[in-house]
Amino acid sequence: MINNLPGIVFRAAVDEQRTLTFVSEQVEGLTGYAATELLFNYARGFGDLIHEGDRELLANTLTR
């Protein structure tokens, strides 16, 4: 079912890097990164997938 959705489905840890613990295969088509490159990757995390202009809004939303 997840693979039929048009967007990305993910699960991220509630840590400083928002470490991805699950991400659907559609991530590659939208970001250029394969799912296996992103899972538990502390060098490239969830924040790297967020447009720089949207990061502050995301941070504020997650800390509420």
Side-chain angles (χ1 to χ4, degrees), residues 10-55:
F10 69 92
R11 180 176 46 242
V14 183
D15 60 9
E16 189 174 317
Q17 294 81 20
R18 305 284 189 244
T19 305
L20 290 170
T21 59
F22 172 82
V23 65
S24 59
E25 295 297 322
Q26 290 86 333
V27 74
E28 187 168 7
L30 294 171
T31 69
Y33 297 113
T36 55
E37 292 180 78
L38 298 170
L39 293 176
F40 300 100
N41 185 335
Y42 299 101
R44 181 181 298 122
F46 178 75
D48 296 320
L49 302 179
I50 306 303
H51 186 275
E52 187 175 323
D54 295 329
R55 290 180 185 169

